[in-house]
Amino acid sequence: MFRSLIAFSLIFMMLTANFSRFFIYAGFELNKNYIASELCENRDKPMMHCNGKCYLMKKLKQAEEKEKNQSRAAQKGHFQEALVTNKTIFNFLPQLVKVLKPIELPFALPRYSGTIFHPPQA
């Protein structure tokens, strides 16, 4: 029961984050008359036929800025800046360094084998 509640709440949060613009549009359409008469910046200029679209654009811009700020904050946690100011010098002791010589193989491959590689005879 508890797992299903957590799963449904996580799904709901993901959907609300992805469909925030949809919720803004839906809220605008449901309250269009109230927004046009009370919240619109151009309500005293009916010849502009704004009908609350300025308020809708303002809310959409606010939601977009909020998403950008959240993504920037999430990206800040992923990167870590490092600045090295001191020069690092490695000194290896000759006793610790072993020089490996290439190993010579005791056999040599033939350059050409005419008995193996030949075209098929018809």
Side-chain angles (χ1 to χ4, degrees):
M1 176 68 181
F2 188 67
R3 284 184 179 176
S4 62
L5 181 65
I6 290 174
F8 285 126
S9 63
L10 288 175
I11 290 172
F12 178 74
M13 284 187 280
M14 283 181 18
L15 288 176
T16 54
N18 291 333
F19 295 115
S20 62
R21 292 181 67 138
F22 171 75
F23 291 126
I24 292 172
Y25 279 118
F28 175 74
E29 289 297 325
L30 291 174
N31 299 319
K32 191 181 247 185
N33 292 333
Y34 173 74
I35 291 171
S37 64
E38 299 295 324
L39 302 175
C40 180
E41 295 174 358
N42 301 320
R43 63 180 171 262
D44 53 341
K45 303 173 189 172
M47 59 273 193
M48 291 184 70
H49 302 289
C50 177
N51 298 330
K53 292 178 186 167
C54 57
Y55 181 78
L56 173 66
M57 293 302 152
K58 187 188 301 183
K59 286 296 181 181
L60 288 173
K61 193 172 186 178
Q62 286 176 356
E64 186 177 331
E65 289 294 323
K66 184 178 178 183
E67 286 178 16
K68 282 183 183 178
N69 290 338
Q70 287 176 350
S71 66
R72 286 181 190 150
Q75 287 178 353
K76 277 186 180 177
H78 294 292
F79 296 110
Q80 181 178 2
E81 296 179 16
L83 178 63
V84 178
T85 58
N86 298 335
K87 186 189 292 187
T88 306
I89 300 172
F90 294 103
N91 292 324
F92 295 106
L93 297 175
Q95 297 88 5
L96 298 177
V97 178
K98 181 181 177 183
V99 178
L100 298 174
K101 295 182 180 177
I103 301 171
E104 293 185 24
L105 297 174
F107 63 92
L109 295 174
R111 290 179 163 241
Y112 172 72
S113 176
T115 60
I116 298 175
F117 300 110
H118 59 81
Q121 298 175 359

